[in-house]
Amino acid sequence: MQTTQALVLRTSGTNCELETARALERGGARVDVLSHRRLQDDLPSLAKYKIMVFAGGFSHGDDLAAGRVWGSDLRAMRRELDAFVADGGLILGVCNGFQVLVESGLFQPERAPEERTLALYSNASNHYECRWVDLAVEASVCPWLSAGWKFPVPVAHAEGRFTCTDETTLHELQAAGQIVLTYQGQSDSATYPENPNGSAGDVAGICDPSGRVVGLMPHPERNLEVFNRPDWTRLEGRSEGEGLRFYSDLVAAAKP
Amino acid sequence: MATAQRSQAPPQAWRVEVFRRPTVDDPEGSHALAAAQALGLESITDLRLGRGYLLPPEFDETQVLRTVRELLADPVLDSARITAPGESPAREGQTFVLVARKPGVTDPVSQTLERALHTAGIAPTSQRDLLVTTFQAWELDCSPNEDHLAQLSRRVLANVVIDQVLVNDESLHYGLPPAGEAHGVVHVPLLNLDEEQLLALSSEGMLSLDLAEMLTIQGHFAGLGREPTSCELETLAQTWSEHCQHKTFRGRIEMDGEVIDNLLKSTIAKATHELNKPWCISVFHDNAGIVEFDSVNGETWDLSMKVETHNHPSAIDPYGGAGTGIGGVVRDILGVGLGAKPIANLDAFFVGPPDLPRAEVPRGCMHPSRILRGVVAGVRDYGNRMGIPTVAGGVWFHEGYTANPLVYAGTVGLMPRWAATKEVKPGDVILTVGGRTGRDGIHGATFSSVELHEDSETMSAGAVQIGDPITEKKVLDGLLAARDKRLFRGLTDCGAGGLSSAVGEMGAECGAEVDLDLVPLKYPGLSPEEIWISEAQERMVLGVPPENLDACIAVFDAEGATATAIGHFTDTGRLVLRYEGVLQADMDMHFLHEGNPRQTRQASWDTPDIPTPEVPELNDPGATLLALLGRPTVANKEWIIRQYDHEVQGQRVIGPTSGVRNDGPSDGVVLHPLPDSKKGAAIGVGANARYGRLDPRAMAEACIDEALRNVVAAGGDPAHTSLLDNFSWGNCNKPDRLGSLVHAAKGCYASAMALGTPFISGKDSLNNEYRVGAETIAIPPTLLISALSILPDVSKAVSMDLKTAGNVLLLVGETKNHLGGSELHALLGLDGGSVPRPDLSTSPDLFARLHGSMQARLVRTCHDLSEGGLAVALAESAMAGNLGADVQLPSGTGLNSTCALFSESTTRFLVELAPNNEEAFRKALGSHPVCKLGLVQTEPRLQIAGESGSPLIDLDLGAVHAAFNSSFQG
């Protein structure tokens, strides 16, 4: 049987590429880690991959804004990215990778990137936060995440507040099935710190209209092992971290 | 502040100011406003930030618009104001403050923007050398009074050490920093100076050399028949500084008739030598200690660890000081052997009380709360950006640190065994990689060797370094890639003393030649000695075989890191420096490294004459417990922990917090560094601000015990535990300071020998005094002990939160009247008494047996007893597990209940286990004291009865939780 090939992309300041690659490998893929520069020099090599993941970190220091510079770099390969998706490829952006995808404009393909109406803004708490949250998968057009599944993951970011220019954008995204993941609370809507950053609609992750480009702020690749959860010493009967399924479902959906 | 003389002309550059839209909040603005209000600047009622950029005047309007739309302003969040070159912006506020980095100070944002302008195709290749600078434009709608505005500028918006501030003045600087003087050889005439003049030369040149050293240098050059060059004199000052040479620890000490020749070798390193553990791979001679970890798939892996002090820079610039502290210790790990991958950071801060009245802050000092916020933000922004989890550490509060805070930063690395050794061969190319060299960080090594004073902030502005973590991340990525291709064989970091120390150390045994004009600079105009001693950050030095040079440079280039050959190692035993072909230094390596005179210092110690107070009778021990939980040193540090990424790299087993809500303070943390290994690495620290003044030896032994308790409580194997020592003391030229240091070092030796825990690395900071007028104030003698311990199996790690109602709670270890230096005494304002001191005849066996019981999976919960004693430990474990405890103090101990509850005796643990494991556990612990306290209960109450059964404490966990969260929260 052929193995699904996945590409983990990094650039200056990326720092989650190794655990992301490990998660994809544990999920059943064969993984290459490449720098953006190397890929740009050899764009045709994209064709051999079925999965492309933008790993987390602080690309280019997030110096101008989180994900801004790498997102801007992606404009130069927009045609290839569109072809990759049209060809059945799946794109994932985690944390800074999500910020990069937002900046690239991929989630609203009908608009120019500098006219997008959604953004990831400074956390409502006004500082970087690293804590564990509960996520729920919403019913969406994303082909590989099962609606209704809930799982714990850590978040670690300073700019993860999902924000839209107006209510209309959020409703349109909801109506188009583009809301993929939400923060879960004790009651219907999550409060701080259940929703760790003040995201509108408790949105933790979204997809593009095709469902094949997904971005999320939390880090499922940091919950692969039984002992990664902060409360694992209280639990019994688990054989793996819940984040592993996130990646194995992704790999399973991307047929080789 | 703006000076009246300066030209008010706006800069000849396009100016872009990006403000948050009124429809969204302005986080930076509200942050600054909150800080201003906390300072009592009530006439400041609003503030908003414009992120400012100066773009090249060569740009046309289309280029500027593209820059704004594609790179600077977010379409959802921002609105931008563009002003043409030479014009003044149309400001909306009443008042504005512009803050810009002083010329020459590192500005990573402008560098990123310069690159992005080219990659986005906004600036064509014909516009290569574009100059972009950044600034902050703060606008206020209110009309603050002049004093408030000045305080706001100086204390909230800017750090005058590195920033320039313009109030209602648009004349931002645009251009390169002014060039320095011509670069001939500068000789420093000292052959004919008398002693007084020699000392004046040392002090005016910030050389920090004492008379004996100046006389030695004079004699050396008299023998050569010439004056030294300024490069040579600076090289000697850097190499001989306390910071680089540890003159106190390596010198001769006379105390009570005893002569100690080299305190380090006769205590700390002696223990390591005598213990001679086979798993110690490299100790004391490299940048960091290296110990064996595990072998997986045919490869043997080691862990390396180093902890550094970064006290003086953090006192004058908390944010930059703490950040570069982390950056520096990370480079120690990158530079150990042939390079290790940093896998965890730790930080420990010692600061003044967060609620200190402003009037009590000494002149020239910052308030402790500002210092703490600054150092936390510095560690956060550097560690998080590097992708290294900050997992362990602590904060200790004490009046004695108000003027001289302590900032410790540590890093753990993972490396293959083959990379543990390195060599320098004559003919190898000296390759610098990473950051460019600027005028930042001149005299950092010598500055840190003198006491702070009220003008330190302005005097030593040049000693402050500015960090750029992304540059260091590029170095990390390039270095590990080049290591794995085995392209270099010599390596060290550029730390204190800059290139002078790095190249000087690497070439000490053979010789080196450097062409200083080849060193890549941030801007032109540096003199040769500035290039040579600059402590500009994020630089490493490699020794590369000539045949690998091109391949090595290519690896760094692929990561966007600059790599430049600046010279080569020789076999001449000389250090030769040139600038544009002109000889700047030609020195004997042997004199440089061995020539400084060894000094004899006098030491003495008198135990302070303080009567032991009566054991206090407490009317309401529950109220006392709540008060202790709210003391800053004990209270919740979650506001700090949550700002650090402690999960990156996905290695978590036991994190800094534990429990149902993940808010219980863990003892040690446990990492799982190798995915294919069962083994884990536990990290723990021990320190105390109050014990050392009363009994420095007991303090040292108690701190080692605490560090070991922390790792053992989490599952670490005491038989595979190594220690690191970091001494921060007052001026050790004063006999009483040195006497207490000697006692502490002897305690380190005794503990390490008894416990079988070798020291693998250390670093000291021995001039922590603050001068106000004629008086100097020393910090409390402070020893930070870090422990690195191996867990045979991470699935057997243990956390501190109570697990199951009905389980048994046990107290392991003996409680004595150890209230001296306790949090209880501090709370009640009492002094004196017995400081906790471990019984080294029993503690090693207790640690071993407790670990054995964990390996047999008998223990469900373990929490170490430290500040606040048993009562605080019980409260923390109950709160973390959201389960109550119903316990009774052990009977027949002859101890007053105050001692039983709050004594801080060492080598004690609170343990929870299933009732059917109690017998096996008691058997496992042998003859060590194991007292049954009671049971875990569902009802969320902490109930503690006295030995007679009468209730002493009965608290709702909600009240416990509230008290724990009642202290300073940033």
Side-chain angles (χ1 to χ4, degrees):
Chain A
M1 209 186 91
Q2 255 192 307
T3 314
T4 302
Q5 296 228 60
L7 173 65
V8 174
L9 271 183
R10 55 178 285 262
T11 188
S12 299
T14 302
N15 58 36
C16 300
E17 67 270 25
L18 294 182
E19 56 266 39
T20 305
R22 187 156 75 228
L24 289 160
E25 275 164 12
R26 294 273 301 273
R30 228 176 61 210
V31 186
D32 290 327
V33 179
L34 269 190
S35 73
H36 179 90
R37 260 214 240 183
R38 287 271 301 282
L39 176 67
Q40 204 166 27
D41 291 345
D42 184 16
L43 279 173
S45 69
L46 250 189
K48 70 176 172 198
Y49 300 105
K50 285 292 165 198
I51 298 172
M52 189 178 184
V53 183
F54 291 82
F58 288 82
S59 53
H60 303 283
D62 286 349
D63 282 337
L64 303 182
R68 174 78 41 88
V69 174
W70 199 4
S72 151
D73 290 346
L74 289 185
R75 295 177 195 208
M77 56 168 81
R78 180 62 180 267
R79 207 153 30 110
E80 287 80 1
L81 292 177
D82 288 344
F84 179 81
V85 173
D87 209 29
L90 297 171
I91 294 179
L92 174 68
V94 181
C95 196
N96 191 235
F98 182 25
Q99 294 163 334
V100 168
L101 293 180
V102 165
E103 291 285 341
S104 77
L106 278 175
F107 293 113
Q108 294 177 306
E110 73 287 1
R111 294 172 176 271
E114 54 271 23
E115 277 156 18
R116 65 186 151 79
T117 56
L118 57 89
L120 292 167
Y121 190 33
S122 304
N123 295 347
S125 68
N126 216 344
H127 56 72
Y128 192 98
E129 294 232 10
C130 177
R131 58 171 68 249
W132 283 69
V133 297
D134 290 317
L135 284 189
V137 179
E138 301 292 322
S140 75
V141 294
C142 168
W144 56 276
L145 278 163
S146 331
W149 178 39
K150 295 181 181 181
F151 61 106
V153 281
V155 291
H157 58 251
E159 293 97 2
R161 178 167 27 156
F162 183 75
T163 306
C164 299
T165 308
D166 46 43
E167 288 277 309
T168 323
T169 300
L170 184 59
H171 292 318
E172 283 171 3
L173 290 169
Q174 278 161 342
Q178 285 184 254
I179 306 297
V180 183
L181 292 157
T182 53
Y183 300 109
Q184 287 299 291
Q186 302 279 359
S187 55
D188 277 353
S189 89
T191 56
Y192 179 81
E194 298 158 335
N195 171 345
N197 49 33
S199 286
D202 297 328
V203 171
I206 59 171
C207 64
D208 76 333
S210 79
R212 307 191 73 82
V213 180
V214 171
L216 77 164
M217 287 313 299
H219 288 277
E221 71 282 1
R222 299 182 184 181
N223 183 14
L224 302 180
E225 310 284 355
V226 169
F227 45 75
N228 287 150
R229 263 176 86 156
D231 56 351
W232 71 274
T233 53
R234 314 179 66 80
L235 306 172
E236 278 169 25
R238 292 162 68 245
S239 60
E240 61 183 41
E242 291 77 5
L244 185 52
R245 177 177 157 191
F246 180 88
Y247 286 95
S248 43
D249 284 358
L250 169 64
V251 175
K255 307 222 168 43
Chain B
M1 297 301 100
T3 50
Q5 294 88 343
R6 61 180 299 144
S7 137
Q8 300 275 315
Q12 287 299 325
W14 287 96
R15 181 190 319 216
V16 178
E17 288 164 3
V18 182
F19 289 87
R20 295 303 186 189
R21 292 196 174 176
T23 47
V24 299
D25 48 318
D26 173 11
E28 288 90 354
S30 21
H31 226 280
L33 185 61
Q37 283 163 355
L39 285 172
L41 311 177
E42 69 273 1
S43 70
I44 314 271
T45 54
D46 70 285
L47 259 177
R48 62 178 171 270
L49 170 68
R51 285 167 288 137
Y53 307 87
L54 295 180
L55 303 178
E58 303 91 304
F59 270 20
D60 61 31
E61 209 166 331
T62 320
Q63 284 177 298
V64 175
L65 283 173
R66 274 195 67 195
T67 307
V68 171
R69 281 167 59 88
E70 294 179 26
L71 294 173
L72 301 182
D74 188 290
V76 179
L77 308 170
D78 296 329
S79 63
R81 181 195 294 145
I82 300 172
T83 309
E87 290 179 21
S88 290
R91 297 217 175 273
E92 285 164 13
Q94 297 283 322
T95 307
F96 64 94
V97 179
L98 305 184
V99 179
R101 290 279 164 89
K102 285 180 176 168
V105 172
T106 304
D107 178 7
V109 178
S110 66
Q111 291 165 16
T112 300
L113 181 55
E114 283 169 20
R115 279 196 306 274
L117 286 170
H118 287 109
T119 52
I122 295 170
T125 39
S126 56
Q127 293 180 325
R128 253 297 148 216
D129 288 316
L130 293 175
L131 177 69
V132 171
T133 61
T134 69
F135 63 96
Q136 296 184 324
W138 295 93
E139 290 189 352
L140 296 80
D141 290 328
C142 57
S143 311
N145 73 44
E146 212 163 297
D147 172 54
H148 285 179
L149 192 58
Q151 283 204 56
L152 174 78
S153 306
R154 195 185 159 83
R155 297 170 69 182
V156 177
L157 305 183
N159 183 340
V160 291
V161 176
I162 53 170
D163 295 325
Q164 53 178 0
V165 182
L166 300 171
V167 179
N168 294 330
D169 172 356
E170 300 286 6
S171 60
L172 288 161
H173 174 83
Y174 179 74
L176 292 170
E181 293 147 29
H183 299 147
V185 193
V186 181
H187 282 95
V188 184
L190 54 70
L191 295 188
N192 297 320
L193 300 187
D194 62 22
E195 295 189 352
E196 201 173 311
Q197 291 167 318
L198 283 172
L199 278 176
L201 176 66
S202 170
S203 134
E204 282 157 20
M206 278 194 78
L207 302 175
S208 299
L209 293 167
D210 65 20
L211 183 60
E213 291 164 332
M214 288 302 285
L215 286 169
T216 304
I217 292 171
Q218 191 180 43
H220 177 76
F221 282 95
L224 296 176
R226 67 174 176 91
E227 300 284 4
T229 67
S230 61
C231 257
E232 289 171 333
L233 196 56
E234 285 285 7
T235 305
L236 286 163
Q238 302 298 321
T239 310
W240 291 6
S241 66
E242 176 67 50
H243 191 91
C244 295
Q245 281 253 329
H246 308 286
K247 290 182 275 203
T248 305
F249 261 98
R250 294 177 196 274
R252 274 167 54 94
I253 297 170
E254 289 177 7
M255 181 164 165
D256 303 335
E258 184 190 6
V259 177
I260 301 164
D261 189 2
N262 194 325
L263 185 59
L264 182 70
K265 278 195 180 157
S266 44
T267 56
I268 289 160
K270 187 178 175 199
T272 306
H273 182 70
E274 290 177 356
L275 290 168
N276 194 25
K277 295 285 181 188
W279 42 264
C280 283
I281 307 304
S282 168
V283 285
F284 287 115
H285 69 268
D286 203 341
N287 284 8
I290 305 178
V291 294
E292 182 166 299
F293 182 53
D294 198 8
S295 294
V296 180
N297 306 329
E299 180 94 76
T300 301
W301 293 87
D302 294 331
L303 294 173
S304 53
M305 187 166 178
K306 175 70 175 258
V307 181
E308 273 277 12
T309 54
H310 216 55
N311 301 339
H312 287 194
S314 305
I316 59 171
D317 178 13
Y319 178 84
T324 53
I326 284 282
V329 77
V330 165
R331 284 195 304 283
D332 273 322
I333 292 303
L334 288 178
V336 67
L338 291 172
K341 180 194 172 196
I343 61 167
N345 286 339
L346 67 84
D347 60 354
F349 309 134
F350 297 76
V351 294
D355 53 356
L356 188 75
R358 289 197 182 273
E360 291 175 29
V361 178
R363 229 162 70 87
C365 297
M366 293 184 201
H367 191 271
S369 61
R370 186 180 178 199
I371 291 176
L372 184 58
R373 281 192 210 101
V375 293
V376 167
V379 168
R380 174 193 70 201
D381 286 355
Y382 210 103
N384 292 357
R385 279 181 159 72
M386 287 286 293
I388 304 166
T390 301
V391 294
V395 191
W396 288 261
F397 297 87
H398 189 278
E399 300 73 15
Y401 303 114
T402 299
N404 192 143
L406 304 181
V407 171
Y408 296 88
T411 302
V412 180
L414 178 70
M415 68 203 298
R417 171 66 53 83
W418 59 263
T421 47
K422 55 189 161 193
E423 60 180 338
V424 168
K425 285 199 169 169
D428 282 2
V429 177
I430 302 173
L431 187 73
T432 65
V433 303
R436 291 170 171 266
T437 299
R439 216 169 268 128
D440 38 348
I442 304 276
H443 285 133
T446 49
F447 164 61
S448 64
S449 307
V450 298
E451 69 208 11
L452 290 168
H453 47 83
E454 57 194 277
D455 297 322
S456 287
E457 182 179 273
T458 41
M459 293 274 296
S460 38
V464 172
Q465 312 107 349
I466 306 301
D468 176 10
I470 297 306
T471 294
E472 187 145 308
K473 179 66 165 61
K474 293 177 192 173
V475 171
L476 184 164
D477 290 331
L479 189 86
L480 297 182
R483 178 197 73 181
D484 290 344
K485 290 176 191 262
R486 313 208 183 196
L487 292 174
F488 58 89
R489 58 187 165 211
L491 173 68
T492 197
D493 66 305
C494 259
L499 288 172
S500 75
S501 295
V503 176
E505 268 170 43
M506 284 177 85
E509 303 299 322
C510 55
E513 286 187 27
V514 173
D515 286 299
L516 292 170
D517 47 306
L518 297 179
V519 176
L521 302 182
K522 292 178 177 170
Y523 38 83
L526 270 72
S527 72
E529 64 263 28
E530 282 176 327
I531 296 171
W532 184 234
I533 66 167
S534 162
E535 293 177 12
Q537 296 291 293
E538 290 90 28
R539 301 177 304 163
M540 306 285 291
V541 178
L542 280 65
V544 185
E547 64 273 20
N548 294 344
L549 182 62
D550 291 345
C552 197
I553 290 175
V555 168
F556 284 100
D557 189 52
E559 296 298 339
T562 313
T564 313
I566 60 165
H568 60 277
F569 294 105
T570 64
D571 59 2
T572 61
R574 300 198 71 78
L575 177 64
V576 175
L577 306 176
R578 291 192 197 83
Y579 187 88
E580 291 176 345
V582 179
L583 193 69
Q584 297 286 338
D586 184 356
M587 305 175 76
D588 178 19
M589 280 285 192
H590 184 75
F591 176 68
L592 180 59
H593 292 283
E594 308 293 336
N596 64 322
R598 291 195 69 212
Q599 297 173 18
T600 300
R601 288 183 172 80
Q602 300 300 318
S604 65
W605 172 255
D606 294 310
T607 303
D609 185 18
I610 305 165
T612 299
E614 295 277 314
V615 174
E617 286 296 332
L618 303 173
N619 294 328
D620 182 354
T624 305
L625 173 57
L626 293 179
L628 284 172
L629 287 167
R631 286 183 59 78
T633 299
V634 176
N636 197 353
K637 311 291 188 305
E638 223 187 326
W639 72 271
I640 299 175
I641 294 166
R642 295 278 162 255
Q643 296 190 57
Y644 299 155
D645 189 348
H646 37 84
E647 304 281 350
V648 63
Q649 300 190 18
Q651 318 167 90
R652 180 197 180 109
V653 180
I654 301 290
T657 53
S658 298
V660 180
R661 288 178 302 252
N662 194 18
D663 63 354
S666 301
D667 296 323
V669 295
V670 178
L671 302 174
H672 182 234
L674 284 175
D676 295 332
S677 160
K678 269 171 40 175
K679 288 191 180 178
I683 305 162
V685 297
N688 189 286
R690 301 180 188 278
Y691 299 163
R693 188 178 62 90
L694 297 172
D695 187 340
R697 176 162 180 150
M699 180 266 268
E701 295 181 359
C703 289
I704 291 171
D705 191 273
E706 185 186 15
L708 201 60
R709 288 200 307 273
N710 280 328
V711 291
V712 170
D717 181 356
H720 283 93
T721 300
S722 30
L723 302 176
L724 293 89
D725 61 279
N726 287 89
F727 292 85
S728 287
W729 246 249
N731 179 358
C732 283
N733 290 325
K734 300 181 183 175
D736 61 327
R737 273 71 153 169
L738 187 57
S740 80
L741 184 75
V742 169
H743 276 296
K746 287 184 170 181
C748 287
Y749 172 75
S751 287
M753 288 308 292
L755 293 160
T757 50
F759 286 94
I760 58 166
S761 175
K763 184 82 193 214
D764 50 86
S765 168
L766 301 184
N767 212 331
N768 293 288
E769 306 223 355
Y770 186 87
R771 177 178 292 279
V772 190
E775 223 186 313
T776 69
I777 310 160
I779 58 157
T782 308
L783 173 62
L784 178 76
I785 295 289
S786 308
L788 174 64
S789 184
I790 310 297
L791 279 82
D793 178 352
V794 287
S795 76
K796 294 178 179 174
V798 176
S799 63
M800 53 67 69
D801 47 309
L802 296 190
K803 304 294 186 311
T804 309
N807 274 357
V808 179
L809 288 169
L810 302 171
L811 171 64
V812 175
E814 189 182 3
T815 307
K816 294 179 186 161
N817 177 358
H818 280 144
L819 289 172
S822 66
E823 281 295 314
L824 180 71
H825 269 192
L827 172 73
L828 301 176
L830 297 172
D831 200 359
S834 271
V835 169
R837 184 168 176 187
D839 179 352
L840 294 175
S841 68
T842 58
S843 65
D845 187 63
L846 191 154
F847 284 123
R849 287 174 177 272
L850 180 62
H851 178 69
S853 75
M854 289 176 168
Q855 291 308 295
R857 296 192 191 271
L858 297 176
V859 175
R860 281 295 280 140
T861 296
C862 186
H863 193 22
D864 103 287
L865 269 54
S866 56
E867 285 100 344
L870 175 64
V872 164
L874 270 168
E876 288 175 344
S877 286
M879 190 170 53
N882 201 26
L883 286 167
D886 184 6
V887 303
Q888 184 172 348
L889 296 176
S891 57
T893 58
L895 273 182
N896 168 305
S897 65
T898 302
C899 282
L901 289 169
F902 300 114
S903 166
E904 298 181 5
S905 297
T906 52
T907 334
R908 294 185 306 154
F909 298 88
L910 174 68
V911 167
E912 173 195 343
L913 29 88
N916 58 356
N917 282 331
E918 186 179 341
E919 198 186 320
F921 182 80
R922 286 182 180 277
K923 210 169 147 193
L925 268 286
S927 58
H928 295 290
V930 175
C931 297
K932 184 164 176 172
L933 293 169
L935 299 176
V936 180
Q937 63 180 0
T938 312
E939 196 189 346
R941 297 193 79 76
L942 176 61
Q943 294 168 290
I944 306 178
E947 59 177 302
S948 64
S950 56
L952 286 174
I953 290 175
D954 186 356
L955 292 169
D956 184 84
L957 285 192
V960 171
H961 201 254
F964 189 58
N965 285 292
S966 65
S967 182
F968 181 68
Q969 294 289 309

